[in-house]
Amino acid sequence: MRRGAAAGNWRLLFDAFSRDELPRHRLWACEIANTFGDPDVLPALTPLLNDDDGHVRKSAAQAHQAIGARS
């Protein structure tokens, strides 16, 4: 499903994955945000910066920085 992320549906996938109990899915949410995200997603991405999983935190930080640099 994450490979199907595109400009038209990425936010729907991000919202679903970012709240999932599996860290792997939250990581995917960060990757999708990094690829397609705009500043509007930053509030939803912020909680992932403090995720229990270190890989998710790292990916969220990368996405947050990339989105900030693009805006």
Side-chain angles (χ1 to χ4, degrees):
M1 219 162 78
R2 79 175 171 152
R3 291 186 189 123
N9 70 353
W10 75 269
R11 186 58 192 251
L12 178 66
L13 293 172
F14 171 83
D15 289 340
F17 285 144
S18 67
R19 294 186 300 258
D20 199 277
E21 67 181 53
L22 291 176
R24 174 179 61 242
H25 292 173
R26 296 191 307 274
L27 178 69
W28 293 351
C30 296
E31 292 172 351
I32 291 168
N34 194 356
T35 302
F36 298 103
D38 52 37
D40 292 346
V41 78
L42 292 177
L45 185 62
T46 300
L48 296 171
L49 294 168
N50 297 310
D51 195 271
D52 290 338
D53 186 274
H55 297 290
V56 174
R57 289 192 307 268
K58 182 177 179 181
S59 187
Q62 290 171 340
H64 200 280
Q65 183 177 17
I67 293 166
R70 287 195 296 260
S71 55

